[in-house]
């Protein structure tokens, strides 16, 4: 029987490996799997539409939707989720102890549109510090220069300057040329134990747990996207992807829960799993309706931060066939 030969770009996660190694088949698809970093696959997907199916930045996907220029349509498979209390780094010698102390400060970012930065700025906004009260310095973390993967038309009150030519954000933070850094990866100077670089939220796990208890939100970072023209020609494809990736995640969760020999190179797995389970019995959920409250909050923040000129509706995000499912 003929199957569609389609390229799929995604991260190398426990929840994607059953797709890669063939333990989980995608109905009607013969996949060409490519495991790549978020930076590579997002750049290639949004700049060149390089893949038939790709993991996508939720924020950049929303930028494309708001411009009515979205080459991909999303499936509610959330391959990356993370609390972003751990994504705000500060110079500890500048008298910064709380979000309000960031007013008027210079904060480094690799890209304004990064989903992690949308969620981190939302934490500051909730504390009364909107993004127009911070000066943003954009540049490469460890390599000078980094372009936004998609052109942005931000309102004039959002102040963004380029890092000096030849400078990196890590170097600027270490030297004290900026007051902080925001992003999904920790700056190298923090990892290496710089004496004056720390996190805004010192106990990030406790802060995240309190946030979840208050809001019920476990932030979504990435969605799965399928080329829109493919979904139009093969309307069964988005549902087949949702089915396969859901099964792959189920297998990953089952394996992680078998702690007779831990599946990750990290101690205290049982304790971490129990701590996460106290937040929710299905914390890493897939599906549109189960995550409507998370996505609605994100869309509001995305608009308020100037990334989408109009506030997107939740119903615009996903292929219609994935908004509901059958039951037995």
């Amino acid at each position: 029987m003929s199957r569609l030969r389609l390229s799929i770009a995604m991260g190398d996660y426990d929840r994607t490996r059953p797709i890669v190694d063939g333990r989980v088949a995608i109905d009607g698809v013969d996949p060409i799997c490519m495991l790549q970093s978020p930076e590579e696959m997002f750049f290639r997907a949004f700049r060149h539409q390089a893949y038939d199916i790709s993991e996508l930045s939720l924020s950049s996907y929303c930028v494309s939707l708001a411009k009515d220029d979205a080459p991909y349509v999303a499936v509610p498979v959330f391959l990356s989720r993370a609390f972003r209390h751990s994504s705000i780094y500060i110079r500890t010698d500048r008298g910064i102890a709380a979000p309000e102390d960031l007013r008027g400060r210079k904060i480094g970012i690799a890209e304004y549109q990064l989903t992690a930065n949308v969620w981190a700025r939302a934490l500051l906004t909730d504390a009364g510090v909107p993004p127009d009260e911070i000066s943003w310095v954009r540049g490469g973390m460890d390599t000078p220069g980094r372009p936004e993967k998609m052109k942005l038309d931000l309102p004039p009150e959002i102040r963004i300057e380029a890092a000096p030519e030849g400078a990196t954000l890590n170097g600027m933070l270490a030297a004290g040329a900026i007051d902080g850094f925001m992003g999904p990866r920790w700056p190298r100077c923090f990892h290496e134990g710089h004496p004056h670089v720390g996190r805004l939220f010192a106990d990030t796990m406790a802060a995240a747990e309190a946030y979840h208890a208050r809001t019920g939100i476990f932030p979504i970072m990435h969605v799965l996207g399928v080329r829109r023209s493919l979904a139009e020609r093969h309307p069964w494809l988005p549902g087949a992807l949702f089915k396969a990736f859901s099964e792959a995640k189920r297998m990953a969760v089952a394996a992680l829960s078998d702690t007779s020999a831990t599946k990750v190179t990290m101690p205290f797995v049982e304790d971490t799993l129990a701590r996460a389970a106290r937040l929710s019995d299905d914390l890493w959920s897939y599906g549109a309706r189960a995550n409507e409250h998370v996505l609605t909050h994100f869309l509001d923040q995305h608009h308020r931060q100037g990334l989408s000129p109009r506030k997107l509706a939740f119903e615009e995000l996903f292929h219609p066939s994935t908004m509901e499912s059958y039951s037995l």
Side-chain angles (χ1 to χ4, degrees), residues 3-13 15-22 24-37 40-42 44-45 49-56 72 75 77 79 223-227 230 236-238 240-245 248:
R3 297 159 67 88
L4 291 180
R5 184 87 162 146
L6 301 178
S7 58
I8 304 180
M10 53 193 167
D12 184 7
Y13 317 128
R15 51 202 173 272
T16 58
R17 288 183 201 127
I19 303 288
V20 177
D21 62 27
V24 173
I26 304 171
D27 292 344
V29 174
D30 181 11
I32 305 169
C33 296
M34 289 169 276
L35 301 179
Q36 298 175 348
S37 70
E40 179 180 3
M41 61 186 165
F42 296 168
R44 293 177 66 186
Q49 295 82 57
Y51 317 104
D52 296 313
I53 299 156
S54 181
E55 184 176 342
L56 300 175
Y72 295 94
V75 176
V77 165
L79 291 175
V223 295
L224 188 67
V226 57
R227 196 186 301 276
L230 270 173
W236 51 267
L237 180 57
L241 291 168
F242 181 79
K243 174 184 174 182
F245 277 84

Side-chain angles (χ1 to χ4, degrees), residues 51-121:
Y51 317 104
D52 296 313
I53 299 156
S54 181
E55 184 176 342
L56 300 175
S57 155
L58 174 59
S59 175
S60 297
Y61 173 62
C62 289
V63 170
S64 71
L65 278 179
K67 290 182 174 182
D68 296 319
D69 184 27
Y72 295 94
V73 61
V75 176
V77 165
F78 309 121
L79 291 175
S80 177
R81 303 180 78 135
F83 293 106
R84 287 308 182 187
H85 299 75
S86 60
S87 294
I88 308 172
Y89 299 84
I90 56 168
R91 289 284 306 196
T92 57
D93 56 350
R94 300 287 169 84
I96 301 171
E100 52 265 32
D101 298 324
L102 293 179
R103 287 193 180 93
R105 305 283 187 164
K106 287 191 171 186
I107 304 298
I109 50 172
E111 294 182 54
Y112 187 81
Q113 69 186 282
L114 294 182
T115 309
N117 290 345
V118 176
W119 283 110
R121 285 191 297 264

Side-chain angles (χ1 to χ4, degrees), residues 8-306:
I8 304 180
M10 53 193 167
D12 184 7
Y13 317 128
D14 60 351
R15 51 202 173 272
T16 58
R17 288 183 201 127
I19 303 288
V20 177
D21 62 27
R23 283 178 290 158
V24 173
I26 304 171
D27 292 344
V29 174
D30 181 11
I32 305 169
C33 296
M34 289 169 276
L35 301 179
Q36 298 175 348
S37 70
E39 290 85 354
E40 179 180 3
M41 61 186 165
F42 296 168
F43 184 88
R44 293 177 66 186
F46 287 109
R47 283 291 189 97
H48 305 292
Q49 295 82 57
Y51 317 104
D52 296 313
I53 299 156
S54 181
E55 184 176 342
L56 300 175
S57 155
L58 174 59
S59 175
S60 297
Y61 173 62
C62 289
V63 170
S64 71
L65 278 179
K67 290 182 174 182
D68 296 319
D69 184 27
Y72 295 94
V73 61
V75 176
V77 165
F78 309 121
L79 291 175
S80 177
R81 303 180 78 135
F83 293 106
R84 287 308 182 187
H85 299 75
S86 60
S87 294
I88 308 172
Y89 299 84
I90 56 168
R91 289 284 306 196
T92 57
D93 56 350
R94 300 287 169 84
I96 301 171
E100 52 265 32
D101 298 324
L102 293 179
R103 287 193 180 93
R105 305 283 187 164
K106 287 191 171 186
I107 304 298
I109 50 172
E111 294 182 54
Y112 187 81
Q113 69 186 282
L114 294 182
T115 309
N117 290 345
V118 176
W119 283 110
R121 285 191 297 264
L123 297 175
L124 300 183
T125 298
D126 289 346
V129 186
D132 61 355
E133 294 189 5
I134 291 173
S135 293
W136 305 100
V137 180
R138 189 174 62 77
M141 288 184 63
D142 295 309
T143 304
R146 174 169 167 173
E148 296 275 357
K149 66 180 71 66
M150 299 173 66
K151 185 179 183 299
L152 300 179
D153 297 310
L154 298 172
E157 62 268 22
I158 303 298
R159 303 186 306 278
I160 301 180
E161 63 182 86
E165 186 175 354
T168 66
L169 296 178
N170 179 74
M172 294 178 72
L173 183 62
I178 52 178
D179 301 298
F181 170 79
M182 178 184 289
R185 298 179 185 272
W186 54 21
R188 188 160 37 84
C189 60
F190 171 81
H191 184 52
E192 293 171 352
H194 191 290
H196 299 305
V197 175
R199 282 179 168 144
L200 177 64
F201 299 97
D203 188 342
T204 56
M205 290 184 71
E209 287 170 330
Y211 171 81
H212 187 272
R214 186 176 72 254
T215 66
I217 290 174
F218 181 25
I220 291 167
M221 300 293 131
H222 304 167
V223 295
L224 188 67
V226 57
R227 196 186 301 276
R228 193 173 293 272
S229 58
L230 270 173
E232 290 170 354
R233 288 200 307 272
H234 308 287
W236 51 267
L237 180 57
L241 291 168
F242 181 79
K243 174 184 174 182
F245 277 84
S246 295
E247 174 60 14
K249 179 178 71 82
R250 187 200 64 77
M251 292 174 67
V253 170
L256 188 63
S257 301
D258 177 8
T259 56
S260 58
T262 62
K263 308 304 183 293
V264 292
T265 312
M266 186 180 71
F268 312 120
V269 174
E270 300 97 324
D271 303 287
T272 303
L273 286 171
R275 190 170 182 174
R278 287 196 289 271
L279 298 181
S280 170
D281 58 3
D282 188 20
L283 190 61
W284 206 302
S285 60
Y286 288 175
R289 292 300 176 190
N291 289 279
E292 185 171 359
H293 66 298
V294 179
L295 293 160
T296 298
H297 182 66
F298 179 85
L299 294 176
D300 177 64
Q301 289 293 325
H302 199 262
H303 175 59
R304 292 172 65 185
Q305 294 177 25

